[in-house]
Amino acid sequence: MGYEVRPDEETWTPLGARVTVVDAAALLAAAPAGPVELLAGTDFPAPVREVRSSVRAHDGVHRFEAYLRVDGPGSTVGLLALGIAGPVGLLLAQRLAARTGDGLAAGVGRVAAEAGRRLGLRPADTALAEPPRDRAGQDVLRTAEELGLRPRVSQDGGALTVRASVPSAEVTPAHLRAMVELVLQTVRELAGDTPEPTVLRGRTYTVGRREAVATPAGSATVTLDQVGGLAEVVARFREVAVSFRHPQAMARWGARRPQGILLYGPPGTGKTMLARALANEIGADFVEIRTPEILDKFLGGSERNIKRIFREARRYRRPTVMLFDEFDSIISYAGSGGDAASQAVNAVAGIFKQEMNTLFEENPDVIVVATTNFPQRVDASLTRSGRFDLKIAIPAPDEAGRAEILAKMIRELIDRHERPGFRMFAADVDPGALAAATPGLTGADLREVLRRVQLAKALREATEGAPPAPISQDDLREAVAGLRRG
């Protein structure tokens, strides 16, 4: 398997927006391993607040899904005017018209009629149908229809989900492009765009490589797309994120999302990075609780600190990921020994158990993530299901995982630093070959290899006054050897 650091790109301008697709074939090929993020961000016209689109493959079918969230109590009326995939606008209007308790019934008749006009449908007593007014949108729908994409639309509160599928044996990059156009057409409809596309004009979107976006306070800009070598873990985290985005579906089935996640494995494997990425995937605040904030040398101080931390967590008004890093250092060896030190540790663990028992009922928008390099030091009663529902091993990456990590890191550096006239990496850089030469290294080690090479190049330019040659495969091999020497 190749790991291209400069994959193929295609740019086009659907509905006035400038869209770049990065390595469409690779995105579709990765879908069987778990959901692949296609389009995400907040640079959309009001009332659209958030758009996320992904593709996954299962049982021989590629399934595309787009999630669109809108602002304001009146914005849900705009959802009725959608005219995608045939008479979906009318079907959605009819379904919502039956819901007399949500305040939408008054506008349904007018909006349904408008949806009909958009679609070119005529009343039964009219001899000739009015031609479609939104020709740009109709072209998008026609292309999707010709490719066999027949989207289904559903609404959950102020959010809209568009789904479409195609047999995996038939899926092509054209299907991916058509789905992106359907998403943008949906945005236009929600924004009340005129027949000539205007609201998306001048906006740019990247499919397959997420642009840097604003993230919640306290959380570094890291996403699940940047996590390499942990496809199954990323897929499980995306499921957690879906549970946050669809509260009505969760409530309808009485389903409870995980309250706690324990991540364990060797140091440097990305456990803290995963917690931050989960917060960004959910759109949640990120709060990291460090050991000194809990442990107190005075009797009873540690217990009071834990109570205070959880008391504050119950008051959070936004979805929040709470990270207890190096969890074993807080409650290690709970339950062992009978001396005063062991009793103090047991008291801390006991208070933590009590607080976790009631946290979810009092604030279900908080999820607790704990990380440890030594899971054997954590009492099993503390991490049982109901407290920590997901217990996930984060192993050191194998050769394929290291190649994927390196490829993603190098792509990120290229995106961030390369400019016309400045090339950061040489053409001979091969993540696969480098991965074969780095057995035993973790993701943190590989990032340190890149840091050393970047520093060496920067210092050379600073002393010589001119940029040196781009980073080559030999440069990276020398940095690996230097890391192993210490």
Side-chain angles (χ1 to χ4, degrees), residues 43 198 249 256 302 407:
D43 182 26
T198 58
R256 186 177 73 88
S302 299

Side-chain angles (χ1 to χ4, degrees), residues 40 46 68 104 106 147 185 204 303 309 340 369 386 464 478:
L68 301 92
L104 297 176
L147 290 169
Q185 172 64 13
T204 60
E303 294 93 317
I309 289 167
V369 178
E464 296 181 359
E478 290 177 10

